[in-house]
Amino acid sequence: MEKQKNIKMLTVKLNTHFFLMLVLLFTFCSTTIITVINSSSIAYAATATDDDDDDDDDSDDDDDSGEDEQPTFILYKDGDLISKNCLNDPTIEASVELEIPMKKIINILTTNDGKVGTLFKKISNKQTRETKDYQLPPELIDWAKKNNVSDIENFSWEKLPNELKMICWQSISKGKGKNYFFYDRKIPNTIVKPKIKLNFNNGNTTFMGQLMKQGENEVDVSRVLTKNPVEYRGPTDVDDVSGVELHFREGRPAGEVHEDAWKFLDGLNVCRNYQHIHIVAPIPYKEFKEKKEYQALLMGDFFRRANLLAELLSIDSGSSILKNATDVGTKDEVTYFNSITPEMVKGVTDYFLTYATGNDDFVPDIGDDFKMGWVGMRGKDKYDGPIDLWGIEYRAICASSTSKNMKQVLNSLQWAMNKNDYGITIEDFKKWDNIHKEGISTKGEFITVGDKIADTWYNQPIEKLLSNAPEEIKNQSLILHLKEIIKDHQEVKMLLHDWDHDPIFSSSKFNFLNANVNANVNANADQARKEIKSAQLNAFKKLINLNHNLGINIDININNSINEIMKKFVTESNLLSIVAKSLDIEVRPYRP
């Protein structure tokens, strides 16, 4: 009883530390979202909007008031991940959505033609039914009189004081309410200036393919920013215009655009934060027609492994998988990041199965149904353009992510999607033991390929995981402890999951893993399975010790302890190397 009480006290402490950490992360920084698109289709991820991510920045926050907490150590160093797969085709364009506090960016914005009056011209919108021009605010009229400006509407926007610019933007936005954002998120008649000034502290910075000098640089951004809309950052920014979202588009590989997105923020003196990256590709109708359900299986499992890779990299950098915070306005607890569920893996695979069975007319609009993971998935209803696209949303890039490694990951995922090369082949899947399981469940329900691939995802219900758990952990005290931990550390379920039937072990690429992992790991799949089980057991022993210490020292930093246990598991199990290799990403041997 006393131990349960201590666990509850510790859980409160854990939640408090975790919440404060999130507040720091979400308050100090701005967000970058990358959307990779096929420019030959003039496709654009116009609806790739993260409503829950927009709400995380309710206040007009400064980005220079502090720095994100850095991880204590990273097992795999920058440059340890290597991939030769990179789309250098100029028809591939990346569109980066940058969320920035207005006061950080006010000096690089102007109206469509640089005149004050243009801001107040209403744009016809069938959904919002706006047809009349906006009224000039009294403060603007008074300022014009005091400064002897006879024709304020034709006056240069550039010459207005910043305080008055904010009043003007707020006057055309106030009263629209949060729901307006979901109809039309564009700030009327507002663009980025064709030429802006960026300040780089490093004289060797290459930005947009050009070498920047140290200090202030005037940069022509007309081709990447001026042509694109300026939008409200989120629903809570509509009335006060406290934050905006820009669209940065370049015809280069995803990894390079990812790097330039952060350099752009650096030049604006805006703190780096999480990047959410959309990578899209044409829906492979030809492959669906020829390969049927196997094509759906390939793409569904790619979604699963992309998530697993993102989570393993995040664990390695010191992050837990589940992230919650309290919404400032509603006071509700909001989940910003979480592990995907088996239902999501099945849903994504079955979504592709609809194409594979030739039922194109019955493909559902999935919206954000499969978004809430470290890598989300979007269907053709999310992207516009003359050809149908699907995409993944890589949501797991934090400010402390190792840039060289992340560049390799993004380039490799982009390659896989656009080349229809997902790392595990149809021939590999035909050797996979799960594919030969009975197609009808004990309940008489038909088992789809979605069910079979979903069964390999580690984030299963705790009861199902515990039924296969080693005897060493089947005591009530530790089970209670595990359930408390998993509330905030979903990744601990990796220690309970049965990895033996993962399709990765059926991949022909698995035979080449030996050169890329620790020297004590054999290329043999059975030996690799043993290594994973050994790492699981070692991690469990540490959790048992942690459980015993709870009754003695309730001030123990449980977050750090669990993170260190999971980091060690990532290294000892070699899961990161195995999963990365299945996506054509090499991992150099871990160097202690």
Side-chain angles (χ1 to χ4, degrees):
M1 194 70 179
E2 181 64 23
K3 187 170 291 185
Q4 293 184 23
K5 180 179 178 182
N6 288 337
I7 290 172
K8 290 181 180 178
M9 293 176 66
L10 184 58
T11 302
V12 171
K13 199 176 191 70
L14 181 153
N15 290 336
T16 301
H17 288 308
F18 181 68
F19 172 73
L20 290 174
M21 180 183 73
L22 277 180
V23 169
L24 289 172
L25 285 173
F26 284 100
T27 302
F28 291 154
C29 302
S30 59
T31 302
T32 304
I33 304 174
I34 297 182
T35 304
V36 181
I37 64 177
N38 188 317
S39 62
S40 63
S41 67
I42 322 177
Y44 172 60
T47 56
T49 302
D50 295 303
D51 303 334
D52 57 315
D53 300 314
D54 293 318
D55 287 339
D56 66 345
D57 205 351
D58 243 8
S59 61
D60 190 16
D61 47 356
D62 268 321
D63 288 297
D64 51 4
S65 56
E67 300 219 356
D68 288 341
E69 183 180 351
Q70 300 298 314
T72 53
F73 64 97
I74 298 176
L75 299 181
Y76 290 95
K77 309 302 180 185
D78 203 12
D80 280 355
L81 273 63
I82 306 167
S83 176
K84 297 179 180 179
N85 293 346
C86 178
L87 284 176
N88 293 310
D89 192 328
T91 63
I92 297 298
E93 189 173 68
S95 178
V96 187
E97 298 176 0
L98 303 166
E99 294 183 358
I100 307 174
M102 173 59 94
K103 61 184 177 183
K104 289 285 188 178
I105 204 172
I106 191 170
N107 289 323
I108 72 168
L109 300 182
T110 186
T111 63
N112 290 346
D113 61 359
K115 296 179 180 180
V116 172
T118 302
L119 183 71
F120 301 94
K121 302 296 181 182
K122 281 196 176 180
I123 301 173
S124 178
N125 188 312
K126 292 181 180 180
Q127 288 179 304
T128 57
R129 297 181 180 179
E130 294 181 343
T131 55
K132 297 180 181 179
D133 289 349
Y134 297 101
Q135 296 294 315
L136 301 182
E139 295 88 344
L140 178 62
I141 296 174
D142 291 343
W143 184 88
K145 291 179 180 178
K146 291 179 182 178
N147 290 274
N148 299 317
V149 178
S150 58
D151 187 2
I152 188 61
E153 292 195 29
N154 286 311
F155 191 72
S156 171
W157 176 265
E158 182 73 15
K159 295 180 180 180
L160 289 183
N162 284 347
E163 295 80 3
L164 192 54
K165 290 178 182 178
M166 282 301 305
I167 291 173
C168 289
W169 273 313
Q170 290 167 353
S171 73
I172 65 174
S173 302
K174 193 172 184 180
K176 291 180 177 178
K178 295 181 180 180
N179 288 337
Y180 179 89
F181 177 83
F182 301 105
Y183 289 109
D184 184 5
R185 61 184 300 177
K186 298 181 183 66
I187 301 177
N189 307 306
T190 302
I191 62 172
V192 176
K193 296 175 184 177
K195 292 184 178 181
I196 62 174
K197 292 180 180 179
L198 298 175
N199 198 304
F200 295 103
N201 294 326
N202 189 337
N204 296 320
T205 300
T206 299
F207 177 69
M208 291 175 57
Q210 298 181 357
L211 185 64
M212 300 287 111
K213 67 180 181 181
Q214 185 169 347
E216 188 175 86
N217 292 262
E218 185 176 64
V219 184
D220 187 341
V221 295
S222 57
R223 77 176 191 269
V224 296
L225 280 169
T226 305
K227 64 181 181 181
N228 306 318
V230 177
E231 301 177 345
Y232 299 106
R233 178 175 54 186
T236 58
D237 297 295
V238 173
D239 280 346
D240 61 5
V241 200
S242 54
V244 302
E245 180 176 285
L246 304 183
H247 297 258
F248 183 106
R249 298 176 64 173
E250 266 278 52
R252 289 185 291 128
E256 294 181 12
V257 178
H258 145 70
E259 290 183 325
D260 264 4
W262 268 343
K263 292 176 185 178
F264 178 72
L265 293 181
D266 293 343
L268 291 175
N269 193 29
V270 174
C271 180
R272 297 180 177 186
N273 193 20
Y274 288 102
Q275 286 191 3
H276 296 199
I277 305 173
H278 286 257
I279 304 177
V280 305
I283 293 175
Y285 286 107
K286 180 176 178 290
E287 285 76 11
F288 278 128
K289 184 177 180 179
E290 294 174 351
K291 301 174 183 177
K292 304 297 183 182
E293 66 271 13
Y294 277 104
Q295 181 66 27
L297 187 62
L298 290 174
M299 297 172 73
D301 186 61
F302 170 78
F303 169 70
R304 179 188 70 94
R305 283 179 290 125
N307 268 279
L308 187 54
L309 177 64
E311 291 192 15
L312 290 169
L313 287 170
S314 297
I315 292 169
D316 180 63
S317 66
S319 175
S320 58
I321 300 305
L322 177 65
K323 293 187 181 295
N324 294 328
T326 301
D327 185 273
V328 177
T330 65
K331 306 302 180 183
D332 295 331
E333 189 175 72
V334 179
T335 298
Y336 293 102
F337 292 93
N338 201 358
S339 177
I340 57 174
T341 64
E343 291 76 19
M344 290 175 68
V345 177
K346 170 179 167 55
V348 168
T349 310
D350 286 350
Y351 172 79
F352 292 127
L353 190 60
T354 308
Y355 288 105
T357 53
N359 295 319
D360 298 359
D361 294 336
F362 298 97
V363 173
D365 290 345
I366 57 176
D368 295 339
D369 291 353
F370 308 124
K371 165 193 169 180
M372 192 52 66
W374 283 70
V375 178
M377 179 268 172
R378 308 303 181 99
K380 68 177 183 180
D381 58 299
K382 199 67 175 178
Y383 305 99
D384 58 15
I387 67 171
D388 294 337
L389 302 171
W390 73 282
I392 61 171
E393 180 187 4
Y394 197 107
R395 308 176 67 236
I397 306 176
C398 63
S400 59
S401 294
T402 50
S403 184
K404 292 179 182 178
N405 286 350
M406 189 51 56
K407 179 179 179 180
Q408 303 302 312
V409 170
L410 297 178
N411 285 345
S412 188
L413 295 178
Q414 182 188 22
W415 170 278
M417 295 169 62
N418 283 273
K419 295 294 186 180
N420 199 47
D421 181 3
Y422 302 104
I424 299 180
T425 67
I426 289 178
E427 289 69 27
D428 293 333
F429 269 113
K430 288 180 178 179
K431 296 183 295 182
W432 179 43
D433 54 2
N434 264 25
I435 205 66
H436 301 296
K437 284 185 178 180
E438 187 65 39
I440 303 295
S441 72
T442 55
K443 297 180 180 179
E445 299 169 342
F446 180 72
I447 298 177
T448 69
V449 291
D451 292 299
K452 294 179 179 181
I453 204 64
D455 194 49
T456 66
W457 183 241
Y458 80 87
N459 186 19
Q460 304 285 338
I462 185 65
E463 291 74 19
K464 180 177 179 179
L465 294 172
L466 285 171
S467 67
N468 298 319
E471 289 298 325
E472 290 90 335
I473 72 158
K474 287 186 177 179
N475 64 78
Q476 293 303 311
S477 176
L478 184 57
I479 289 175
L480 174 63
H481 180 43
L482 281 173
K483 289 182 177 180
E484 290 294 332
I485 289 176
I486 287 170
K487 288 179 181 179
D488 293 298
H489 290 270
Q490 301 261 356
E491 63 274 16
V492 170
K493 288 185 176 181
M494 291 183 183
L495 308 182
L496 293 161
H497 180 60
D498 180 4
W499 297 93
D500 281 359
H501 303 289
D502 197 294
I504 289 178
F505 294 118
S506 298
S507 171
S508 56
K509 292 181 179 178
F510 186 79
N511 294 327
F512 302 99
L513 281 171
N514 193 40
N516 304 300
V517 296
N518 294 352
N520 64 334
V521 176
N522 297 323
N524 181 275
D526 289 336
Q527 178 63 26
R529 291 183 177 102
K530 291 179 181 178
E531 293 289 338
I532 293 174
K533 289 179 179 178
S534 174
Q536 286 176 306
L537 188 57
N538 289 340
F540 272 129
K541 290 178 180 178
K542 294 172 185 176
L543 283 177
I544 291 172
N545 292 333
L546 185 62
N547 182 58
H548 289 164
N549 290 334
L550 286 176
I552 302 172
N553 179 16
I554 62 171
D555 291 326
I556 184 173
N557 190 329
I558 191 170
N559 273 322
N560 283 347
S561 297
I562 294 170
N563 287 344
E564 288 179 8
I565 290 171
M566 291 307 299
K567 285 179 183 179
K568 190 68 174 176
F569 167 73
V570 168
T571 305
E572 290 184 352
S573 67
N574 297 293
L575 267 177
L576 177 56
S577 297
I578 292 170
V579 176
K581 178 61 180 178
S582 77
L583 293 164
D584 278 333
I585 302 169
E586 306 285 352
V587 181
R588 291 175 179 167
Y590 165 61
R591 301 182 301 275

